[in-house]
Amino acid sequence: MANVLTEATKKGFELHLCALDLSKAFDTVTHSQAIFSLFSHGINISVIFLLRYWYSNSVLRIKTNMRVSDSKIPVRRWVRQGAVLSPSIFKLCISSVLSSIPPTCILNSVNISHLAYADDILLISRTKKRALFVCFNSSI
């Protein structure tokens, strides 16, 4: 970030940042959306089949009063919190949204509009610095 700020300042730009932490983001991804995103990004089909199997066999059991229910509830939504692949899967799911943001900053000759890791996103924008004009009323 320091490099982006330094480069923007040298070229006479102001930098604007917006930090987003998407609330419950991993819980909103449907399994079908995750599988489609993996497929559309060219992920190896063996990996997709493995994840599809893993997700299609996900179930919940409810524990109350120190007793676990006998019934299993199928889970059709969420990317597993804490799993090594989850941040990457989530990023692929939201990549079409992030890629639609026009780049406004340059870092090492690369145009960027955001920095993202899983559900933490930093939106970056720049504008030309405005000259500050002070007007004095001479009639006072």
Side-chain angles (χ1 to χ4, degrees):
M1 228 26 252
N3 292 343
V4 173
L5 181 58
T6 301
E7 193 162 331
T9 304
K10 277 188 213 175
K11 294 182 178 179
F13 289 101
E14 291 178 337
L15 209 54
H16 308 278
L17 306 173
C18 178
L20 303 175
D21 184 353
L22 305 177
S23 175
K24 303 283 185 190
F26 282 22
D27 297 345
T28 63
V29 176
T30 62
H31 294 164
S32 57
Q33 177 188 14
I35 297 303
F36 176 78
S37 294
L38 292 168
F39 182 76
S40 65
H41 284 88
I43 302 301
N44 183 299
I45 197 72
S46 298
V47 173
I48 293 173
F49 281 145
L50 176 65
L51 289 172
R52 191 179 82 156
Y53 175 79
W54 186 34
Y55 283 138
S56 66
N57 289 300
S58 297
V59 293
L60 292 175
R61 295 176 82 187
I62 299 173
K63 181 178 181 179
T64 57
N65 297 329
M66 303 304 288
R67 185 173 180 273
V68 178
S69 68
D70 293 330
S71 59
K72 296 177 183 176
I73 303 166
V75 177
R76 301 286 175 242
R77 173 183 299 262
W78 62 267
V79 178
R80 291 180 185 231
Q81 292 280 353
V84 174
L85 291 177
S86 294
S88 298
I89 293 170
F90 183 78
K91 185 177 177 186
L92 291 175
C93 289
I94 65 167
S95 66
S96 61
V97 173
L98 294 177
S99 66
S100 68
I101 303 170
T104 61
C105 293
I106 299 172
L107 176 60
N108 298 330
S109 302
V110 176
N111 288 325
I112 60 172
S113 60
H114 64 277
L115 299 173
Y117 180 74
D119 60 344
D120 296 314
I121 301 169
L122 183 65
L123 299 174
I124 306 166
S125 179
R126 69 178 188 179
T127 57
K128 273 287 196 192
K129 284 186 180 177
R130 296 184 192 145
L132 180 62
F133 293 102
V134 179
C135 296
F136 294 100
N137 189 339
S138 61
S139 62
I140 297 181

